[in-house]
Amino acid sequence: MFNSQLQRQNAALLKLAKSSAIDSGDLKQALREITEAGAATLDVKRCSVWSYTPEKDAIVCLDLYEADTGKHSEGVVLKAKDFPAYFQYLKEERFLPADDAVTHPNTYEFAEVYLKPLGITSMLDAPFRRSGEMHGVVCNEHVGPMRHWTLEEQNFAGSLADLVSRAFEAYARRQAQEELKRMNEQLEKMVEERTRQLKETLEQVQALKEQQDADYFLTTLLLKPLSNVNGQPAPFCRLQSLVKQKKSFRFRNREYQIGGDYVFAESILIGNKPFIFAINADAMGEIDPRGRGSAYSWFRAQGPFGTEKVFEHLTGRLAQFALPQAAPRIPFLRRLDDGVFVNGPHRKRRRAYLLSAEHPAPVLYKDGRARLLPVQQVPKLGSTREDMVKGKVPILRIRMGKGDCLILASDGRDDIMIETAGQRQYNEDESVFVDLVAKLGPSPSKMAENLSRIGDITDDLSILALEMV
């Protein structure tokens, strides 16, 4: 009989060990198989699995199998405060074999509320653990005459508890995998949604950029009359110019530039004498600490839309003056950065009359040498600067001989980011540009190319060279 009982136990455990429900994480089915095997092998009327609540102040029945009816039920709750001896024993022991459950010191607390009403006389309980801590208990309850639990039966109950623990581990693993899958699916949806949003945003940005580039292109058409330099507007002077704006853009597969620098040169008569009227200017105004615009240039004050008409009006006004010295005193000209009048045609009596308003000093190239001209800066209209002459406009007069060249260049000539001792800093040395002029001669394109080799040009760059011939 002993061998027969042991064989039945081993067969039951082997069958449970092969159960796909236990290792697949199907906890409900696994517990059903374990309780049915426990009731049949131990020959008890009731076999159940109970689990701690999260607070560990009670146990909840997850599956109760009743052999007489073949039914499974769940949901009964037993609170620890009502059965302290029972709960304390299970925390410390492997088995709880109660032959006489009504009088046993660790099960008698159930007598009136549970054992007697159900006719239970003997109990064989085995707690199961997870991570070393008690997680619940497997209960085998005998109905009928009291029963003595053998050591083999106790070991079998312990094995059932181990299988329950294994089923819980598989269930937890399955839950984690499903949660991970759910999170991955959610993440994929989020990525898809974010990708869709980014695509829409990029499409909107692209559309805005195309519109912006179209607006830029339209602006370049409107600004085009602003820079007007004839290569030789008078027989006594040859002009070279370069305008390289910092902002570039593409429109209809062509490269364009837009910015605030401009150059202008026109042949005019003042007092029946031929003159070259030339301008190099920066259209961007400065902003004072109070946030108000100051030092407005002609571009900001007047706008680009009437450029040609304005210059026609300006040159008409200039022709009314008998002397060029008086022309730069026109209030409009004080909105400019660099302005110059060069007269002719007598080579020995050629003079240049210069006005500079908050702009880098002009450079004179003469006999293979270059130097800064000592112009006295005047403030632009609207300027808040107090360190410049106001009222009377100082005009610098210089003689110009054959081969002499006057170089007017914007702030970009000095606004160069250079690397010094491993640190990047702005160039503060005006002689850098002067040295380039001395080395390269009156060639704006070569000047710009060599400035780029020295460092990064951080501003719009415009250069106008007037060479006497």
Side-chain angles (χ1 to χ4, degrees):
M1 181 176 179
F2 171 77
N3 289 334
S4 176
Q5 186 181 45
L6 189 59
Q7 288 175 355
R8 288 177 60 202
Q9 294 173 1
N10 289 337
L13 293 175
L14 180 60
K15 182 179 179 181
L16 291 173
K18 293 180 180 181
S19 171
S20 60
I22 293 177
D23 291 322
S24 67
D26 186 352
L27 184 62
K28 188 176 185 67
Q29 180 60 30
L31 296 184
R32 282 173 170 261
E33 293 180 6
I34 291 172
T35 54
E36 289 179 7
T41 306
L42 290 176
D43 192 21
V44 294
K45 300 295 184 181
R46 299 161 58 91
C47 182
S48 56
V49 176
W50 303 68
S51 177
Y52 260 135
T53 59
E55 298 78 14
K56 294 188 176 182
D57 59 353
I59 54 176
V60 180
C61 181
L62 300 182
D63 185 83
L64 167 64
Y65 175 68
E66 298 178 80
D68 287 345
T69 62
K71 292 183 179 181
H72 291 267
S73 60
E74 59 183 280
V76 178
V77 177
L78 299 177
K79 296 183 178 180
K81 66 178 182 178
D82 297 329
F83 313 100
Y86 176 76
F87 276 81
Q88 184 61 37
Y89 183 88
L90 292 180
K91 288 181 180 180
E92 301 171 356
E93 301 295 337
R94 170 67 167 162
F95 312 111
L96 175 52
D99 296 347
D100 185 355
V102 175
T103 61
H104 193 282
N106 299 114
T107 59
Y108 77 95
E109 297 162 330
F110 294 103
E112 301 301 326
V113 296
Y114 185 77
L115 301 177
K116 291 181 179 180
L118 296 174
I120 299 172
T121 55
S122 302
M123 295 175 58
L124 175 57
D125 292 1
F128 60 90
R129 290 174 170 78
R130 293 185 60 196
S131 301
E133 295 185 359
M134 178 183 167
H135 190 73
V137 61
V138 178
C139 298
N140 299 284
E141 301 164 344
H142 175 72
V143 176
M146 285 188 299
R147 177 171 173 178
H148 173 69
W149 303 105
T150 65
L151 182 59
E152 288 74 20
E153 290 172 332
Q154 294 178 39
N155 288 331
F156 178 75
S159 297
L160 292 180
D162 293 339
L163 287 171
V164 170
S165 180
R166 181 171 140 190
F168 267 97
E169 294 293 341
Y171 173 73
R173 184 168 58 251
R174 178 177 175 178
Q175 291 292 100
Q177 291 172 346
E178 290 178 353
E179 177 65 14
L180 181 60
K181 181 180 178 182
R182 186 191 65 79
M183 292 176 63
N184 286 336
E185 290 175 350
Q186 185 177 12
L187 180 60
E188 288 178 1
K189 290 181 180 179
M190 292 174 62
V191 170
E192 290 176 359
E193 177 63 18
R194 186 58 176 164
T195 302
R196 183 189 64 79
Q197 293 175 355
L198 288 175
K199 182 179 179 182
E200 290 180 356
T201 301
L202 289 174
E203 290 175 351
Q204 294 173 0
V205 169
Q206 183 62 32
L208 289 173
K209 184 180 184 305
E210 291 175 358
Q211 181 62 51
Q212 183 184 58
D213 289 345
D215 292 341
Y216 283 158
F217 176 70
L218 178 60
T219 304
T220 61
L221 296 180
L222 295 172
L223 293 177
K224 189 175 182 180
L226 198 61
S227 285
N228 180 19
V229 177
N230 189 334
Q232 194 167 344
F236 59 87
C237 183
R238 179 170 60 244
L239 300 180
Q240 297 183 70
S241 65
L242 175 143
V243 178
K244 188 176 182 181
Q245 311 288 12
K246 185 65 177 174
K247 170 65 179 176
S248 63
F249 67 96
R250 293 187 66 83
F251 181 70
R252 294 182 178 176
N253 297 321
R254 295 187 64 181
E255 194 79 22
Y256 296 93
Q257 295 181 1
I258 187 170
D261 278 13
Y262 62 94
V263 293
F264 176 84
E266 187 73 46
S267 178
I268 62 174
L269 291 175
I270 300 180
N272 295 321
K273 294 181 181 180
F275 279 81
I276 296 296
F277 169 45
I279 297 171
N280 173 270
D282 183 350
M284 296 298 103
E286 299 172 2
I287 302 297
D288 70 13
R290 292 169 293 180
R292 300 182 304 177
S294 65
Y296 284 102
S297 65
W298 176 88
F299 177 75
R300 181 160 292 187
Q302 302 295 341
F305 302 107
T307 302
E308 291 179 303
K309 295 299 180 183
V310 171
F311 276 123
E312 287 177 8
H313 173 72
L314 174 61
T315 52
R317 288 285 309 279
L318 292 173
Q320 298 174 13
F321 289 85
L323 295 175
Q325 296 95 315
R329 293 187 175 91
I330 300 175
F332 174 84
L333 293 181
R334 290 187 58 191
R335 299 175 189 263
L336 306 175
D337 292 306
D338 276 333
V340 60
F341 296 81
V342 182
N343 75 322
H346 301 292
R347 296 180 180 179
K348 293 183 179 180
R349 292 188 296 173
R350 289 176 189 163
R351 290 179 180 272
Y353 303 86
L354 292 106
L355 167 69
S356 185
E358 301 187 33
H359 217 226
V363 176
L364 178 64
Y365 178 78
K366 184 181 183 68
D367 299 328
R369 298 180 180 180
R371 64 184 177 89
L372 289 171
L373 293 176
V375 292
Q376 191 171 6
Q377 298 284 343
V378 298
K380 298 178 187 179
L381 289 182
S383 175
T384 58
R385 295 184 61 169
E386 300 292 338
D387 59 338
M388 293 185 178
V389 176
K390 295 184 178 179
K392 184 178 180 179
V393 179
I395 305 298
L396 178 67
R397 302 176 180 86
I398 61 170
R399 289 184 179 274
M400 300 283 288
K402 183 179 180 180
D404 293 352
C405 186
L406 192 61
I407 313 295
L408 309 179
S410 65
D411 297 331
R413 77 184 202 187
D414 296 323
D415 291 342
I416 306 172
M417 185 68 71
I418 58 179
E419 183 122 2
T420 304
Q423 293 184 343
R424 289 171 60 81
Q425 58 185 16
Y426 280 105
N427 169 51
E428 300 288 346
D429 186 1
E430 287 184 299
S431 67
V432 171
F433 180 74
V434 178
D435 292 342
L436 278 182
V437 174
K439 176 182 177 182
L440 303 172
S443 175
S445 59
K446 290 183 179 179
M447 296 176 199
E449 180 181 348
N450 280 267
L451 284 173
S452 298
R453 293 175 181 174
I454 294 173
D456 296 331
I457 300 175
T458 62
D459 198 356
D460 299 334
L461 174 64
S462 56
I463 304 174
L464 178 61
L466 300 90
E467 183 180 3
M468 298 299 101
V469 295

